[in-house]
Amino acid sequence: MSDLKKDAEALHKAASALAKVDDHTRKPLHDFKAASHDLSAFGVLGSLMSAKDDIQDGMDTIAGLTKNLHKEWEVEAKFLGDVSDAFDVLDILLNTAARAKKG
């Protein structure tokens, strides 16, 4: 029964960490998106090869995918928290049943 408690604690810790990912990536993602609109380092060569637009589109796509990952991680963090809570309740119920059985 203590395994359930350990599993619940581990799931809760994972859920908390996963929920905080957005806090750690918000500024880097903003900086990345801003950089996708300032590709002056490519100069004339980039403009001649249409690389600037392709790179900008690629960076915008990556930023969008990252936002979608944040949403998915948020849902997964909530799920892990719910499973952790369920394990806590199950552990309590099993302990209560074991005590009742012992009489």
Side-chain angles (χ1 to χ4, degrees), residues 23-39:
D23 295 339
H24 299 292
T25 59
R26 186 175 295 124
K27 184 176 178 346
L29 181 59
H30 172 74
D31 294 346
F32 183 82
K33 284 182 74 172
S36 73
H37 297 287
D38 180 22
L39 301 173

Side-chain angles (χ1 to χ4, degrees), residues 1-101:
M1 286 178 250
S2 65
D3 287 343
L4 283 176
K5 186 160 183 65
K6 289 178 185 175
D7 289 343
E9 289 172 359
L11 285 169
H12 180 71
K13 185 176 178 180
S16 295
L18 197 53
K20 294 177 186 174
V21 168
D22 188 43
D23 295 339
H24 299 292
T25 59
R26 186 175 295 124
K27 184 176 178 346
L29 181 59
H30 172 74
D31 294 346
F32 183 82
K33 284 182 74 172
S36 73
H37 297 287
D38 180 22
L39 301 173
S40 57
F42 285 98
V44 176
L45 180 61
S47 296
L48 290 174
M49 297 173 43
S50 301
K52 181 180 181 277
D53 291 338
D54 292 341
I55 291 170
Q56 184 175 348
D57 290 345
M59 290 177 78
D60 287 343
T61 300
I62 290 170
L65 291 172
T66 302
K67 281 190 172 188
N68 290 339
L69 279 174
H70 286 170
K71 290 176 187 174
E72 184 176 328
W73 290 335
E74 184 179 317
V75 170
E76 289 182 21
K78 182 182 179 332
F79 173 75
L80 288 173
D82 292 345
V83 171
S84 171
D85 292 344
F87 278 6
D88 284 337
V89 171
L90 182 59
D91 190 46
I92 290 168
L93 291 172
L94 290 172
N95 282 328
T96 303
R99 280 194 300 263
K101 198 173 189 178

